[in-house]
Amino acid sequence: MDEDVVRERDARAYEAVHDAADFTELKRRYKNFVVPWTIAFMTWYLAYVACNNWARDFMNTKVVGHINIALIFGLLQFVSTFVIAAVYGRYANRKLDPLAAGLNAKYKRERRR
C-alpha cells in the first residue's frame, strides 16, 4: 500500500478520535484527577521541606527512641507516593480505561476505512 495513503488514513483516524466526545471526556477526567492530587502532594512535600528548614525543633521531637518527627515525615513521603499511585490505578481502571478502550476501537475502525 502506498505510504501516502497510509498516512492519510492514519491522519483521518486520529482526527476522528480527537473530535470524539469521549476523547474530551477522557482528558477532563484525567485532569480532574491529576491536578488536585499533584497540588496536594506538592503541598505536602513542600511542607516537609519547609519544616526541615525552619521548624527544626519540631522536626527533632523524639517520638519513640531515636525516631523523630522528621524521620516519620520522610517515610510518609514514600507511603503517600505509593498510596497516590494505588488510588490512581483504581481510578484509571474504573474511569479512564473504559473510555480509552472505546477510543482505541474507534481508531481501529477508522483506520480500516
Side-chain angles (χ1 to χ4, degrees), residues 17-80:
V17 169
H18 182 268
D19 294 340
D22 281 353
F23 184 69
T24 303
E25 179 63 17
L26 179 64
K27 289 192 311 182
R28 186 190 69 75
R29 288 181 185 183
Y30 177 76
K31 287 178 189 174
N32 284 346
F33 183 89
V34 169
V35 170
W37 279 97
T38 300
I39 291 169
F41 181 79
M42 291 306 295
T43 301
W44 159 235
Y45 174 72
L46 292 174
Y48 170 64
V49 171
C51 285
N52 273 321
N53 283 323
W54 294 293
R56 290 185 182 261
D57 290 338
F58 169 69
M59 295 300 272
N60 285 328
T61 303
K62 301 278 186 194
V63 177
V64 176
H66 293 292
I67 298 172
N68 61 15
I69 291 177
L71 179 61
I72 292 171
F73 274 25
L75 293 174
L76 287 175
Q77 290 291 314
F78 288 101
V79 171
S80 63

